[in-house]
Every structure is written in C-alpha cells, then in structure tokens.
Amino acid sequence: MMNNIILIGMMGSGKSTIAKALRVKLAYDVFDTDDAIEKKTGNTISEIFKAKGEVYFRQLENTMCKGLGLHNNIISTGGGIILNSENVKLLKEKGPIIYLSGTIDTLLNRLINETENRPLISKNELQQQLTNILNNRKELYENAADIIVKIDDKDIDTISNEIIMNLREIGYKF
Ligand code: S3P
C-alpha cells in the first residue's frame, strides 16, 4: 500500500482544511481532486456541471482516480468520489481512507455561506439537500473508510491530531 492519506466526507466536512493542517504537521504534499479537475479542464466545478452535467463530472473524477500516482500526499477528495465503487478501490490502493463524519447541523453551519461553486447545494434548500445527500451516501462513506473521525464541535488541530493518532493505531508508517 502506498503511504498517502485519503480524506473523504461530505461537502463542508473540512477535507481541504484538514489536508492543509496535516500537510504542516507531517510535511506531506496535498493533492485535491477538485482542484486537479479544475486545473486540467480550465473550468470551475460549477462550469463543468452546468455545461456537461454531473455524469460527465463523475467521469472526470474517475479518470483522475485512475491516474493517481502519488506518494506522501494527503489526498483531499470531492464529496461524491465514493459514489463510484471503482474510485474507492483505486483510492484504497493509495493509502488509508479517513472519513470525516459530521451531523447535518455541523455541515449546515459550515456551508451556509459556502454554497458557491458547489452545484449540488443552494442556500435556501440547504438542510434538505444535505439530508438527502448524506442519507444516500452515509453507508458508502462508512464502508469505504479505514478510520472514521467525528468532526462535530472539534477544532482543526483536534481533528488532525485524532487522525494521526488513529493512523498510528492501525500501524501506518509516517
Ligand atoms: C460534490 C462535492 C464537491 C465537488 C462537487 C460535488 C459532491 O467537493 O466535488 O461539487 O458530490 O459532494 P467538496 O466535497 O470538496 O465540496
């Protein structure tokens, strides 16, 4: 198994922020699948969804997973990456998968002013949208995960330290 660390979880679970915190603590690099897709296509996630639809975006995500040849990276994934079981299999080969798990309330608070460039959510229907999405995905996140870290009421430092502690417990070599 390669020694990357993979972060999965809902929009608003803090994958990008935690990836940056872990980068500092572990002196790893960060690879963000959404950023990579934007860079590769020259379009924002919203633009891709608008012009070509979600199915096309999911194909880009899958191609991205197939091409991942990383080492010593924190891989921060788009929230829907686990919808394709092949992606999960490919990511598992890259390193342990950490699920950042939060309640709808936590996600709602974090996303209320962050719905832009997130085509699956909108400010006025946020609670219902998040509830639906999490209901559909909860099991997929849990099944994909080697480690589940609860994020509710915790700061970035606490969450990243918990991740490191859990990785040690499963024998991960830093
Ligand atoms: C999505 C999450 C987004 C982005 C796209 C779809 C999802 O990434 O990939 O808008 O399906 O949950 P973040 O989880 O980084 O917001």
Side-chain angles (χ1 to χ4, degrees):
M1 197 199 260
M2 284 188 255
N3 75 334
N4 303 287
I5 297 167
I6 296 105
L7 302 180
I8 63 169
M10 289 283 284
M11 295 172 260
S13 61
K15 291 163 292 185
S16 306
T17 312
I18 298 297
K20 284 177 195 146
L22 289 173
R23 167 170 63 194
V24 175
K25 282 181 193 282
L26 303 176
Y28 278 29
D29 292 319
V30 169
F31 183 89
D32 184 302
T33 60
D34 283 341
D35 287 353
I37 288 171
E38 291 191 336
K39 212 173 268 173
K40 194 172 159 199
T41 60
N43 293 108
T44 65
I45 302 295
S46 284
E47 286 167 350
I48 298 168
F49 268 71
K50 209 167 164 198
K52 306 247 173 117
E54 180 172 351
V55 173
Y56 181 78
F57 174 76
R58 298 300 175 200
Q59 284 165 3
L60 293 177
E61 263 186 337
N62 180 239
T63 307
M64 181 65 52
C65 286
K66 285 180 179 154
L68 286 177
L70 303 167
H71 206 63
N72 278 356
N73 264 263
I74 323 283
I75 304 176
S76 174
T77 60
I81 206 109
I82 42 73
L83 292 171
N84 181 333
S85 61
E86 189 190 19
N87 293 349
V88 175
K89 192 167 154 270
L90 291 163
L91 289 169
K92 268 199 184 292
E93 291 167 6
K94 307 293 173 204
I97 299 182
I98 323 275
Y99 170 34
L100 302 179
S101 161
T103 63
I104 296 294
D105 269 359
T106 300
L107 301 172
L108 194 62
N109 279 328
R110 294 180 183 207
L111 286 168
I112 194 73
N113 293 313
E114 302 285 339
T115 53
E116 230 168 85
N117 202 28
R118 286 189 161 113
L120 296 180
I121 54 175
S122 55
K123 200 166 179 161
N124 41 14
E125 290 172 289
L126 192 53
Q127 179 157 18
Q128 194 53 51
Q129 288 165 331
L130 289 174
T131 306
N132 292 343
I133 296 172
L134 185 57
N135 279 343
N136 287 334
R137 294 183 184 169
K138 193 173 182 291
E139 218 176 29
L140 296 175
Y141 286 130
E142 289 174 355
N143 291 340
D146 296 294
I147 293 168
I148 300 175
V149 173
K150 289 218 161 73
I151 60 161
D152 306 299
D153 305 315
K154 291 178 190 162
D155 62 23
I156 295 161
D157 206 46
T158 307
I159 296 167
S160 36
N161 286 339
E162 261 182 48
I163 290 173
I164 293 171
M165 202 182 69
N166 278 293
L167 283 167
R168 281 216 179 91
E169 270 169 21
I170 63 164
Y172 178 87
K173 298 275 179 295
F174 291 93

